[in-house]
Amino acid sequence: MSTSAPAWWQRGAVYQVYPRSFADADGDGVGDLRGLTEHLDHLSELRVEAVWLSPIFPSPMADFGYDVADYRDVDPLFGTLEDLDELVAACHARGIRVVLDWVPNHTSDRHPWFEAARSSRDDPKRDWYVWRDGVEGGPPNDWVSAFDAVGPAWSFDEATGQWYLHSFMAEQPDLNWDNPEVEAAMHDVLRFWLDRGIDGFRLDAIVKIAKDPLLRSNGSAVLRHHEAWSTIHERLRGIRRVVDEYPDRMIVGEVDAWDLHGLVSFLKDGDQLHLAHNLLVTDLPWSPEAFGRSIEDFEELADQTCWPAWFFSNHDMSRAASRFGTDGQGAARARALLLMLYALRGTPFIYQGEELGLPDAVVPPERIVDVDGRDPERAPIPWRPPSEAGPGAGFTDGEPWLPLVADAESLCVERQAADPSSTLSLTRRLAALRATEPALQGGDQRPCDLGHEVLAWTRGDAFLAAINFAAEPISVTLPDAAQLVLSSDPSRPLDTLPHTLHPCEGVLLRLPS
Ligand code: GLC
């Protein structure tokens, strides 16, 4: 990997847009595609290689778009297919690729396929979903929904007297991927978007498309029967073959793997996923050993075809600034993580607002809308100070669908763009450096020992990155002739080499040639 030129999906960051919360052009309080198109300068300033849109398809919005009622259109809330075409053209004109979220495991219960399937046991679409008789008046097996609040992964359909499977909400019935017609129909969905010029897909909850065909209970079994069944690899190869019918496209899987062996099994041999979201990293405690071991273990298991991807935040988890912020160091840690994201070998995935160091928003009980407690990390982007732009902070002229973060006044894009010491300015510098330095894109990575509180690594012969995980200053001995390129701490002068790293500070140094 280090010798050949990196592909676009290896070179720089993929920026995740949660469209409901990015920018609202029509004033209804919910973000939309035109809002995004109008704010593409922000993405260009961040030098992103690609933008990944969380689902924009027609949906009753039980799971805010992850319940798809039509895979081949745009929900009117977000705009029209033409708006999407315009967005794609505008992105491509700037050299930004567009990646869509493909939700293959389940549809909405309002999808015509499911409406047909539930209409009668004899309907030709019945077997497109997973239907079973109950056991002793209860569900067919012990599988539970990924959402705690939902409970069993089965709902009873009164009209036809059987239970249907839903790995998430009851409004999201699972498709039956053991039926070849389903697989073919979902492949055609991919082709529909690939023909329209879409550059790749994020494969939602992908391990769920392969289940034990006998639907056995998990009980205390070692194997998970409800997901990641052995058929997953062949199904991924099928998806990859479709994507490979088109040049230079990419698929990244949301892979909920037990361990890194599982993760790597989807990447190796180069015939399944290009990239996998490593959810294991997002569960790590704030510890240099934990992060260091996870990074080194991946390198150890990976072969030449496995390229890492890193992410620390998305629309499903508490933002890093809050997750690691219980002792008041959240902002500093979030900045250090940004440095880590851009300086590690692998593709950085950055979630909208991470470049601003946003914390979670406080959502009062009467404004909670998500079934699984994920509203705080989905708060709208503050574009302008509320004191000037009104309570919508430039996100909307209407009433935002979720409350904004508390300190929108100083965290907003406009204020941070004007402040060289802001998190946004740091992210732009990191992105610019990565865009122009081949060693940061493709250079080998080696761990480096700078003391037990410090996680440090080199990239090629050119760069050294070091992060002080401690909440107090730590002395370090850095190579004499190295040059400090940037620090995650805005108070750090760049003209001398530090002897001490500030609490939770990350630094990037250029090594003498
Ligand atoms: C993925 C998405 C999440 C969604 C779920 C069901 O985990 O990231 O937001 O609720 O799949 O589609």
Side-chain angles (χ1 to χ4, degrees), residues 63 66 106 147 168 172 202 204 254 315-316 374 378:
D63 191 16
Y66 285 94
H106 44 269
F147 300 141
F168 295 90
Q172 296 167 291
R202 179 258 191 185
D204 180 73
E254 187 203 18
H315 63 297
D316 291 333
R374 298 167 295 181
R378 297 176 176 181

Side-chain angles (χ1 to χ4, degrees), residues 2 4 65 87 98 112 146 151 182 356 368 406-407 477 504:
S2 56
S4 56
L87 170 67
V98 179
V182 168
L356 306 172
I368 291 175
D407 194 11
T477 308
C504 305

